[in-house]
Every structure is written in C-alpha cells, then in structure tokens.
Amino acid sequence: MHLAVFICIEMAVTTFQSPRGATVVVRRDEYLFSVALGRVVRLDVVLPPGFSVRAAEPYPVLYLNDGQDLTRLHLPATLNRLFRRGEVRPFVLVAIHAADRLQEYGVAARPDYLGRGSRAGRYTDFMLKELLPYVQAHYHASAEAGEAAVAGMSLGGLMAFDLAWHHPEAFGRAGVFSGSFWWRGRGLADGYTDADRLMHSLVRARPASLGQQFWLQTGTDDETSDRNNNGIIDAIDDTLDLLAALAGQGLPATAARYVEVPGGHHHPDTWGTIMPDFLRWAFGINALAPAEVAARELRPVRWRLGGQPLTRRPLGAMRYKFQYLRPAATFATMATTPSITQGRPAPGTYLSYTQAYIDLVPAEADPLAQLRQQAAEVHRELAGLTESQALMRYAPGKWTPKEVLVHITDAERIFAYRALRFARADAQELPGFDENEFAANSEANDRSMSDLLTEYHAVRAATLAFFSGLNGGQLERAGRANGGATSVRALLYIITGHEAHHLRILRERYWPALPAS
C-alpha cells in the first residue's frame, strides 16, 4: 500500500479578481511527496470566493490533469465569471502538474504498443491513495464520489476517463477534452483493427456503474487523420465509438454529454473556450443549453488572437495525432519569485566543521527547492534495494543503507529542532549528539526500507513546512548548539548539504560494492 506524506502550506497565493469583485484564489502547493510516483507533485489549488475550511459542508472538487496549463486554459478568469453570475456551485479545483506524462498518463491496465503509459497504474495509486486524502484533509474537499470530478485534455483526458470508469467509488463524473481514445495495443502497420483500442476494450469488459457520468468533447479540426477513410477524423470516430460502447454497457443516454466544437482544435484555446460548458455540466445550478448551442459559445473578445475568433489551426497545435503527445505540446511555464531562503549564511553564523555541508548547496540554489529534489533522489536510490542490499556494509564498521537513511532522518530532526528553538528566540544552549550512538540504537536494520522511507518523507514534509513559514528576520536569528553559534538560515543549508553529502557517499562507496541481490 502506498502512503503519501503531506503537510499543506501554500508557497504562493495569487488572486484573480473579476470586474465585479468575485475572486478565486490560486494556491501553489509543493508539499505532497508521492511514494507511488517517487516525486513531489506540484499542485495549483483554486479556491472559490469565500472559501472557508470551517464551511458547514465540504466542497465539491475537480481534479484536473495537466494542471500546469491552468492559465493557458483561462481557468481563473472563467471561474470568476461563472461564480460572479451564479452559474456554478462553489467548488475546489486541484490542478495537478504533469511530469513524465507519456508514462504516467494512459490506462492503468497496460501500456500502449510502444510501451507508453507504463506508469499509469502508479498514477492511479497516487490519485486514489495519496492525492484524494491529501486534498480532503487540507482543502475541505468532499470525499463523496458524487461530489468529485476528474478531467483532462488529450492524454490527460484518457487518464481521467480511465480513473472514473474503473473507480466510480472515487469519481462520479469525468470530463475529457480531445481525449486520446485512439490509444492502442497494436501499431497501424502491424495488423491494427479498431478492436485494438485499449479504452474501448476496457469499457466493453464491465458494465457501467450506477451514477457514473461522462462529458466528452472533440473539435472538428482536432486532427486530419482518417485511418478508415470514412470522411470523419479519427478523434471524432474514436469518441463516438466510445459513446456507443458506454451505451452498450448500460450507461443511460442522460449520463453522457458529447460536445463537438466546429473548427475546434487540439489546443488549449479550444479547450478553454468550451470549458464553461463542462463546468456548468459538472457543478452547474441551472439547466444546460443543448450541446450544439454550447459548442458555438464564443470566448471573451480579449481571449481571441488579434481580437478576432480563430479561423485556422493555432500555433502549437499538431497536425498528426501522435504528435499531440510531445511533452512540449501543452506545458506552460509559471513565473516564480526568488525565495527568502535563497541566500547563503554569512561567515561566522555557523560552526566551521559544517562549512563542508554548506558548500554542497550551489550558490544559486534555493535550499528548500534542493530539499524537495533530494527527497525524490533519496527515494529513487533506496526504494529499489533488496533486503540483502539494504543490509550491506561497504567496509567493516560502516553503516548499512538503512542506517544511513535513519541517520539522515535523525540529523534532520535535530537540526530542524535547533532551528525551531532559535527562530523562537530561545536563548538556552542546546547539546550536541553522538551520531554513532544514535545509529547503533536506532535498530534500523530490523525495519523495512518502505517503512523507513515513509518516516523520512514525513520528516521532510515537516521540515519544508517549517522553514517555508519563516520570515527573513526569523531566518537570521541565531542560538548556541554543540558548543557554538549557529543561525536558523545556516541550519537550513546544513540540513540540505548534509543529505547531499550522504547521497554522494552512497553513490561513490556503497553502490559500487553492492551485491547483485
């Protein structure tokens, strides 16, 4: 069972205000380390106007794949408009930034014929076992399937559909924009037939569940491919065939909505334009307009290129379907501001022996960002070890990899505790500790590596949350520990560099001596 470690502290808050004052707040959240994915998963959490964690009822929630495209989809502006007009209920939107989307998105059952989507099962575990509990615990989001929707675009849309179809206990609704329903188990030149489409086969393998609902969208200019030469592009054919398969498995006609956008492209411009219809369908208050009317909804004039509606394929849209899967196709870069933790401690604010650790943090690096990155590196280095490898010593008297991990965790706890005392202006001098006595009494070798990693990630999440909450003055406060003066800022750099030191030792001394199994 995968267990995520999480503490919710927003790194950045952005307010998007509409002309009449209704606002949504976007919180950047970088504190969820996924054990299933082996990385920190960045989230942008969009909170409705008037959001309160003390609201009488939990909020409905939308989980959106490819969340890095939040602003390219004009979602904050769209939400402001819909909330201001009272067209949708207040809900929380969780925009999940993608990483290796060619491997993490797909269908959980199996990769496609080229081996893509090999980590979709892990992504499913992340969503169900890590993300949902995290959001429910920290953003007052509903745990009821009927109040939870999942959505995505292109390959992210396929992933959203797979999640909802196979896990109706978690998601009652799914929205798919230009979904990659062509995803197949056999290449076109290798005897392909439509029976090789993976999602269609999975739908035909089980009946629809009571209460499931699906919103599917295509654009008439999503692509130009027409593999069966019937005059209908594959994107539309594949989606219509999936709708037919859903009906064949008992899904009521009223439980599916299909919107085909004339002139719509496989591009965030089209998806952002039709987004209001999906949001009204998922969280709306009033009756929906007919799909053919919604498909012709104009975006606000300021969204149009050059003040005019799009009449041709926009830059960035791809001609052939397989090209949509390029990582650069829909990624957007979000601006960041320098962190107050990004500044090296002044000489004289730390003990001389810790200089070696501080020097392992690059001059231009933010130590908090490096700690998040190193957490993923530690997990990758240690999670795959066999039991015999985890108990190996590269020389007599040296620690095992398990003991190294516990030492990193213990040292981080102690250094962070010192930082807490000093940041609170505690003048008492703190003692040192004997790392070898700690290691000898940790009994680390009697525990599983997965258990040790879970504890490690919990400590790391607490460390990140604590240091992120300090202001500039608190970072410069100092106290005495282990016989010398040390600043809070120096302790942050020491924690980071100390772990970097042990990562280097593992790679240079342990791994070359590692037994085969």
Side-chain angles (χ1 to χ4, degrees):
M1 175 178 177
H2 294 296
L3 175 64
V5 178
F6 47 82
I7 290 182
C8 179
I9 299 289
E10 66 260 31
M11 184 175 182
V13 176
T14 306
T15 299
F16 295 83
Q17 185 160 5
S18 65
R20 297 185 185 179
T23 61
V24 296
V25 172
V26 181
R27 291 185 177 178
R28 171 62 56 83
D29 185 323
E30 296 180 307
Y31 292 91
L32 173 57
F33 184 93
S34 168
V35 175
L37 299 176
R39 63 180 176 87
V40 173
V41 180
R42 175 178 291 180
L43 308 172
D44 287 324
V45 183
V46 186
L47 304 176
F51 172 84
S52 172
V53 294
R54 291 179 291 276
E57 297 292 335
Y59 289 87
V61 58
L62 168 61
Y63 299 93
L64 181 68
N65 290 330
D66 276 322
Q68 70 281 347
D69 281 338
L70 187 74
T71 53
R72 294 185 70 194
L73 294 166
H74 303 284
L75 258 169
T78 293
L79 289 169
N80 276 337
R81 192 170 74 256
L82 294 176
F83 285 135
R84 185 178 68 243
R85 294 175 179 173
E87 295 185 48
V88 295
R89 297 179 293 152
F91 69 93
V92 171
L93 188 159
V94 181
I96 310 152
H97 288 228
D100 186 2
R101 63 193 306 274
L102 277 177
Q103 296 302 330
E104 291 181 356
Y105 290 168
V107 298
R110 56 162 292 184
D112 84 335
Y113 74 106
L114 292 178
R116 297 170 295 192
S118 62
R119 292 171 59 82
R122 288 183 171 273
Y123 190 81
T124 298
D125 285 346
F126 155 70
M127 291 287 289
L128 298 175
K129 300 175 183 178
E130 300 176 340
L131 181 63
L132 268 65
Y134 178 84
V135 172
Q136 291 160 9
H138 296 289
Y139 294 103
H140 200 31
S142 177
E144 297 296 323
E147 294 287 79
V150 60
M153 290 69 65
S154 189
L155 192 53
L158 174 68
M159 186 75 250
F161 186 96
D162 189 63
L163 281 162
W165 177 252
H166 288 105
H167 298 283
E169 78 285 357
F171 308 102
R173 298 180 181 89
V176 182
F177 299 76
S178 301
S180 297
F181 292 129
W182 61 269
W183 201 245
R184 51 186 174 262
R186 190 191 306 268
L188 293 177
D190 299 322
Y192 166 87
T193 70
D194 282 348
D196 292 310
R197 292 176 298 187
L198 297 181
M199 196 68 249
H200 299 70
S201 297
L202 291 168
V203 165
R204 294 189 181 101
R206 56 171 292 270
S209 297
L210 184 66
Q212 286 186 308
Q213 298 182 55
F214 299 95
W215 182 98
L216 308 179
Q217 174 270 332
T218 63
T220 59
D221 289 340
D222 264 349
E223 60 174 325
T224 58
S225 299
D226 178 13
R227 61 179 177 265
N228 60 3
N229 299 310
N230 68 347
I232 301 173
I233 61 172
D234 293 341
I236 293 176
D237 260 346
D238 293 335
T239 303
L240 293 177
D241 287 349
L242 187 67
L243 285 165
L246 289 169
Q249 296 305 102
L251 189 79
T254 55
R257 181 172 173 87
Y258 172 62
V259 182
E260 188 174 298
V261 180
H265 300 83
H266 196 103
H267 192 274
D269 281 345
T270 294
W271 304 328
T273 299
I274 198 59
M275 183 66 70
D277 184 72
F278 165 67
L279 296 175
R280 294 185 193 109
W281 172 84
F283 304 104
I285 295 171
N286 303 315
L288 286 171
E292 60 271 16
V293 174
R296 289 171 171 79
E297 180 171 348
L298 292 177
R299 74 200 114 172
V301 172
R302 64 183 176 276
W303 294 9
R304 302 176 192 169
L305 297 184
Q308 299 296 321
L310 267 159
T311 57
R312 61 180 178 83
R313 189 179 303 277
L315 292 175
M318 306 302 177
R319 180 174 177 81
Y320 296 111
K321 190 182 304 182
F322 67 85
Q323 292 179 298
Y324 297 152
L325 302 181
R326 291 180 180 174
T330 60
F331 271 37
T333 301
M334 299 193 69
T336 58
T337 55
S339 169
I340 60 171
T341 57
Q342 194 170 348
R344 302 183 76 75
T349 62
Y350 48 84
L351 294 170
S352 59
Y353 82 90
T354 61
Q355 182 71 59
Y357 298 145
I358 293 171
D359 288 345
L360 290 177
V361 182
E364 71 283 358
D366 176 0
L368 285 179
Q370 187 165 331
L371 279 176
R372 284 190 287 271
Q373 175 184 330
Q374 286 177 184
E377 292 180 29
V378 167
H379 191 92
R380 284 194 298 269
E381 295 286 344
L382 297 175
L385 295 180
T386 65
E387 183 66 12
S388 62
Q389 290 171 336
L391 295 174
M392 183 271 297
R393 304 176 192 273
Y394 74 87
K398 299 299 181 182
W399 295 335
T400 68
K402 286 185 178 182
E403 289 170 332
V404 172
L405 178 58
V406 168
H407 168 68
I408 292 171
T409 305
D410 285 351
E412 183 167 333
R413 276 195 176 104
I414 292 168
F415 295 146
Y417 175 70
R418 292 175 181 173
L420 169 65
R421 296 282 295 266
F422 300 163
R424 303 299 189 251
D426 190 334
Q428 298 181 68
E429 182 163 353
L430 301 178
F433 72 103
D434 187 327
E435 62 182 30
N436 290 309
E437 284 296 317
F438 270 49
N441 290 285
S442 69
E443 301 184 11
N445 294 328
D446 295 334
R447 298 170 61 188
S448 69
M449 182 62 80
S450 63
D451 185 35
L452 296 175
L453 282 168
T454 296
E455 180 184 355
Y456 161 81
H457 289 305
V459 172
R460 178 55 46 86
T463 299
L464 290 168
F466 168 69
F467 280 103
S468 295
L470 299 179
N471 61 36
Q474 291 170 318
L475 283 167
E476 303 313 324
R477 290 175 184 165
R480 290 185 62 82
N482 200 27
T486 306
S487 70
V488 175
R489 181 180 296 277
L491 285 163
L492 171 58
Y493 273 75
I494 290 166
I495 291 170
T496 308
H498 175 258
E499 181 175 67
H501 162 75
H502 282 287
L503 273 169
R504 185 174 66 186
I505 295 297
L506 285 170
R507 290 162 177 161
E508 293 180 356
R509 301 181 188 176
Y510 281 79
W511 300 164
L514 206 63
S517 62

